[in-house]
């Protein structure tokens, strides 16, 4: 796995979690690919995964893990147990970009990133590398911008290096029009975008419920409070707009039309890695009766994201091995803004199980 | 439709709603059978339905409807618009039983109920009658009780009168062992039990979500506050136990095991027909991280139940016409404690759509 | 009472409620001035109040009341019972301003408003008139604006007509620097601003609790959902900023410093007159333990505001009679952004009781 | 401090917290006696406190602290920092009773407890000892029981040893009629009962708000979910009844009458030391409008209790020194079921400040 944002809390949790679960120190809670329906799919073993990546920050990964333990996000004993893997991953992290004052062109940056990835693959001797974007959300690119956003430069590098690509963030990544041709011809699977870890996960089961029961959703309002790096990144209005597009999609698809209501994303540093999402659904029932459903979701963002990142990397690696060379709408289960398919979680889960069966047959 | 509990708030709302929607005065919100997938199923038109039933109370149905309007449960204008239908239904309600001091035997009661239903069918000239139990929940019958519970006497009368039977309550009804043989040989469809209108509806979509995401639900606790007749009936601990059995079933089936946690049902007369259900789900994610989901559902019980009652009566009538003569696990979408099948709402909805298609083919 | 915004839902509810309570048709719930400590304060009787006012809308007040009854905000029977009073108030409403295309100067508008008020006082023969602003919130005035905001023109007219003045909204009103001298010399009592009806009422008891228990509030976040006229007015970011200033004041005063966290005000037309306020308070306890309090307040805005409007008008009228000719920080109990005094509700209530005692002695 | 229940999580947190705050390793959050109004009251310094107590369990206190750190209740670094104090306290813990099969009479038990306390005072050389009950809640004693409940035996021992006494639990303690005479003549201050740490703390500020605003509370319902030892103890219905009596008192006192509604206390072991309290308040406003307030309180029980325990011990010790020899209704701020005085938190806080001033003058 080559992680864009390799020193962030999601990446750190991914490395610690992979080591801990592989060593049998804790059960694989949250890892869908460790459940029974995936047993025969030929996925790479957790113990076989090797980590590296790009990041613009330079704090050491073991330090980052200890800081997460101090905040109560990771148990101290798991951080201690994963020390070797953290140090190994740390050695495989290269400087990302562009950093402030960076004068390199898009082509120069892409070439540098490609070289880093190819070097990692060669030196570690892995069968193949999957590039996964878990960096902070970048602002939606201005229309007609001359430069590619950083997330698309990394995606271009993944394609050029012949690697499967997963975009776990709402950033543009491989969806930039300038990458369409390369994506079509690179001969790798790719998928995204924007991991579905909390409020949108709930919406993906609740919105179909309202539709199936013929209830009339009048307004769906939501507020997200989160700290950590993502809170700050999303406080930026443009970044929130990028994220909200995904959130709205599930409602519009499931309900047939977008109801009234706004979604707020507030940066609350005091919450650290913990996020709280409140949803308020005003709906009408029989004879116009007015009713309300409210949900409050309190979770740890990196702990919600990390097992999905491991799932996606394993599925993408196996799809690559099985010769699949296009986008993967079958992985819509994991994303707010998937490559296609239904927005209802139950149908997305059924599609995922069919995909697992297809991988099993491809052995 | 022959309603057991014909003067209750669910029955009253059913009569008002059928008239109002049939007259085009309000949209069919909440009526699943009025959505597109049911258009070809050959269901009886709302305008063709005729109402009667049993009740032990004797307040006039139009008065009951006005009282519900005063409480804000039904709009005044709909009660006025349905005045003729309310008066007509009122004339077709017969005294239920057994009342206090009633010395009739089970056989005498069953015979009297059967005669009432047959008389209704004959005089009104309807093609067939569906008996629907919407009476207050009765206590769970004591083990080895000599007498049948009232709900089972009504069910026996339905079978004897050759009518399809629906049990919308948690009471025993047709599930009493003493009725098994009659149910098998009566040549009618029957289904139940315990309409899924609020907290359990939510659980039927949320519990599968946790399982699909491999999250570990540690405790699922809930409190229901409700007034109206049902609040008082369910305050009785035995009645609550009957209801909770259904609530637990969805968790046990969906999660594989019943998690910690209790369910409380409180009678709060000040809430009238409105009910509030709070659920608190403590779950563990990746690396044992502790997270919480809470839901608050605020709805009007009779407005939630009435459209489902109309759906069920239409589906049961059509099944009867189509020659189906057994229990209907395909209607598990509507029940907390269904005749069989999955506990996940999405799968129940798929089964319902297949049933609609089967009815369409049977034309 | 001369109501600015006399055709709005707060004014309509005030007129219906005054008539209904005065006639003994419903208990004086929500009217603080009808509780025992105010019995001897010499307040004008509810039955003695006469209503008029300014509004830029022109729908008839009885129609407005019926619309509120259709929405379930007012009981139909109370609207019918107050028909005479509604019609009487309707006849005493004059066109407000400035309307679109109005070419009158500030002085011309003030003079016209003053004449309307004086004419009302003379014709109705009331002992004195209290002017109360219950109009929709206006945007915060741009710095250095040449014209006075409308709310300040009405306040100037109240002073010129020798009337007590109450500002129930977050608009500028009498607090405009241009009115300072007139307020000082007009010989009338005046008070404001921004009625404390929901989220801020809660904060005024909860924030002192955290301080008294030495708990460390790290972040206080809130979202308000409301429809009605106010929802639309407050959707305007500048108007929300005006309102939020009041909301922040109570936190800053009670906690010693403003914690992290934002307040959102969303216009959700589907909610009509009903508003929902969610608050999320992240606080630290002993040894840095992280805890959370959440509150959800669901109320009817006009029903919350109207009794406070009646309270304030009666208190201001009596203060005027008693010769008080300055601002009234003693009424901080009613306001988000009071004229002075503590922000803690318990201390504000104590101050209000002392004020009632002072009025009693002034008889 | 002599703690009854000295090996429990509250006692453990008290010892760790006293050491950590005294050493300046963390701020005194939650310690009311460390705020400015108490600076001159002559309270004993945190660094001067010495700990011992009774317990029927025998796990070592340092182990217990480590277990709490593993559960995320106490930070590891504070447990490490307090290691010396934990070991010292552990050495001063004596076996409580009666244990299963204990044949000692009430008098023999009281004498043994008294000797333990006197021995502690003598050997440690402290100026005086305060006995604080933080043991698990015991069932409400059966009427006419021949034996004293254990909590009352410990209270009798405190009186006999000439120690101030604080009951932080809902158990009977010093309120047993058989102890009335001893309490009157022992020449020590004593106070209780049932620490106000969560739901009741909120009720003590919210109930007065409703009354001050003349709003009509129709129903106040609540559910508490908690694990730890207290969850199990309170699962016992009789113990819950003892606790709920305190919870009801604040509503009855503040609202003038007890509204509808029940309080549930559920044992949810999965929550560990964390407790969640949901309250649902149905109230009527102007013209009978129906509104709802809901609160959700999520806190760590031992972290909420421990600073109050330190506060109470310091205040009781100083009161003893100042010659106060009766019950202390001035400490109602800390209790669900205080010795007297108002149930409103703001008035209780004012009384506490007056008490601090009285102690300051008594120097």
């Amino acid at each position: 796995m080559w992680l864009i944002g390799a020193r962030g809390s999601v990446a750190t949790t991914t490395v610690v979690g992979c080591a801990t679960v592989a060593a049998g120190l804790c059960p694989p809670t949250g890892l869908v690919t460790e459940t029974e329906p995936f047993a025969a799919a030929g996925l790479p073993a957790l113990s076989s995964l090797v980590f590296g990546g790009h990041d613009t920050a330079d704090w050491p990964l073991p330090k980052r893990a200890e800081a997460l333990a101090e905040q109560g996000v990771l148990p101290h004993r798991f951080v201690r147990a994963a020390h070797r893997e953290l140090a190994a991953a740390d050695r495989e992290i290269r400087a990302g970009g562009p950093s402030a004052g960076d004068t390199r062109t898009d082509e120069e940056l892409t070439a540098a990133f490609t070289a880093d990835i190819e070097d990692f693959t060669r030196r570690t001797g892995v069968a193949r590398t999957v590039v996964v974007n878990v960096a902070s959300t970048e602002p939606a690119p201005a229309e007609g911008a001359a430069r590619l956003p950083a997330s698309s430069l990394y995606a271009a590098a993944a394609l050029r290096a012949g690697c499967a690509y997963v975009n776990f963030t709402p950033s543009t990544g491989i969806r930039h029009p300038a990458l369409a041709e390369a994506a079509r011809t690179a001969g790798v699977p790719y998928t995204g975008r924007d991991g579905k870890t909390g409020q949108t996960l709930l919406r993906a089961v609740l919105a179909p419920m309202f539709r199936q029961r013929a209830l009339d959703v009048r307004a769906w309002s939501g507020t997200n409070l989160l700290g950590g790096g993502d809170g700050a990144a999303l406080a930026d209005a443009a970044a929130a707009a990028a994220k909200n597009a995904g959130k709205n999609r599930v409602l519009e698809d499931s309900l047939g039309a977008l109801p009234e209501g706004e979604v707020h994303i507030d940066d609350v540093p005091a919450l650290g890695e913990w996020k709280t999402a409140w949803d308020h659904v005003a709906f009408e029932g029989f004879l116009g009766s007015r009713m309300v459903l409210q949900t409050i979701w309190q979770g740890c963002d990196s702990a919600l994201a990390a097992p999905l990142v491991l799932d996606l990397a394993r599925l993408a690696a196996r799809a690559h091995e099985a010769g699949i060379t296009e986008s993967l709408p079958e992985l819509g289960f994991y994303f707010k803004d998937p490559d296609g398919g239904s927005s209802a979680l139950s149908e997305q889960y059924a599609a995922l199980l069919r995909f697992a069966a297809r991988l099993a047959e491809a052995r």
Side-chain angles (χ1 to χ4, degrees), chain A:
Chain A
M1 285 185 68
W2 186 263
L3 295 155
I4 314 301
R7 298 192 189 281
S9 52
V10 172
T12 308
T13 305
T14 301
V15 172
V16 171
C18 182
T20 312
V21 174
L25 297 175
C26 80
T29 311
L31 273 167
V32 180
T33 50
E34 286 290 306
T35 61
E36 192 280 330
F38 296 83
L43 304 180
L46 290 174
S47 57
S48 72
L49 300 185
V50 181
F51 296 91
H54 282 116
D55 205 307
T56 52
D58 55 7
W59 53 67
L61 208 54
K63 285 268 177 232
R64 181 78 171 127
E66 277 163 39
L68 289 172
E70 273 307 303
Q71 292 168 43
V73 174
L74 294 174
H76 278 282
R77 66 185 185 284
F78 293 165
V79 171
R80 284 193 299 268
H83 189 267
R84 196 174 53 82
E85 288 84 352
L86 284 163
D90 190 67
R91 286 190 297 271
E92 295 293 348
I93 301 178
R94 300 293 172 265
S99 45
D102 202 325
T103 58
R104 289 177 288 178
T105 64
D106 282 1
E107 172 53 32
E108 287 166 345
L109 286 160
T110 305
F113 298 158
T114 305
D116 289 337
I117 298 170
E118 290 175 340
D119 183 53
F120 168 79
T121 308
R122 189 168 45 242
R123 280 185 304 95
T124 57
V126 292
R128 64 193 60 76
T129 296
V130 178
V131 175
V132 185
N133 182 10
V134 291
S136 276
T137 302
E138 64 192 11
E143 211 144 322
R147 298 281 305 251
L148 287 181
S151 66
S152 297
L153 297 178
Y154 290 116
L159 293 174
R160 204 176 288 184
C163 297
Y165 172 82
V166 177
N167 186 2
F168 200 75
T169 79
S171 302
T172 307
I174 207 166
R175 295 227 183 134
H176 197 286
L179 268 62
E181 177 63 16
R184 204 176 54 75
T185 59
V188 297
Y190 53 92
T191 191
R193 107 180 137 170
D194 202 1
K196 188 160 63 187
T197 55
Q199 190 174 54
T200 309
L201 176 65
L202 282 175
R203 291 178 167 199
V205 297
L206 293 172
M209 178 194 79
F210 285 110
R211 185 181 50 76
Q212 289 165 0
R213 280 294 177 100
L215 298 167
D216 183 16
V217 173
R218 300 291 309 276
W220 200 310
S221 309
T223 296
N224 295 269
L225 312 179
L226 67 163
D230 221 29
L234 292 166
D236 179 87
K243 189 142 197 130
N244 289 343
K247 283 183 182 286
N248 284 341
R249 179 171 165 175
V250 65
L251 293 187
E252 198 159 10
D253 281 7
S254 299
L255 300 173
L258 191 61
E260 289 177 10
E262 298 174 43
V263 173
H264 304 287
I265 303 184
D266 291 6
D267 181 30
V268 183
L271 294 181
E273 288 293 316
W274 294 85
K275 77 173 169 190
T276 296
W278 171 69
D279 258 18
H280 179 282
V281 189
F283 64 100
E284 277 190 15
F286 201 44
L287 306 180
S289 52
R290 289 174 169 213
M291 315 197 195
V292 173
L293 169 66
Q294 294 175 78
T295 62
I296 300 171
W297 172 272
Q298 295 167 300
C300 177
D301 214 22
S302 44
L304 287 161
L308 307 185
V309 166
L310 285 168
D311 277 350
L312 284 162
R314 298 173 86 188
L315 289 163
R318 173 68 183 123
H320 195 181
E321 181 188 36
I324 299 174
T325 62
E326 54 197 355
S327 80
L328 301 173
E330 297 92 340
L331 302 188
F333 179 71
Y334 292 100
F335 295 113
K336 291 193 191 75
D337 183 15
D339 297 331
S342 168
S343 282
L345 193 76
S346 60
E347 296 178 30
Q348 293 174 330
Y349 184 65
L352 180 63
L353 294 190
R354 288 192 300 272
F355 188 64
R358 181 176 155 204
L359 294 180
E361 283 161 25
R363 295 193 87 158

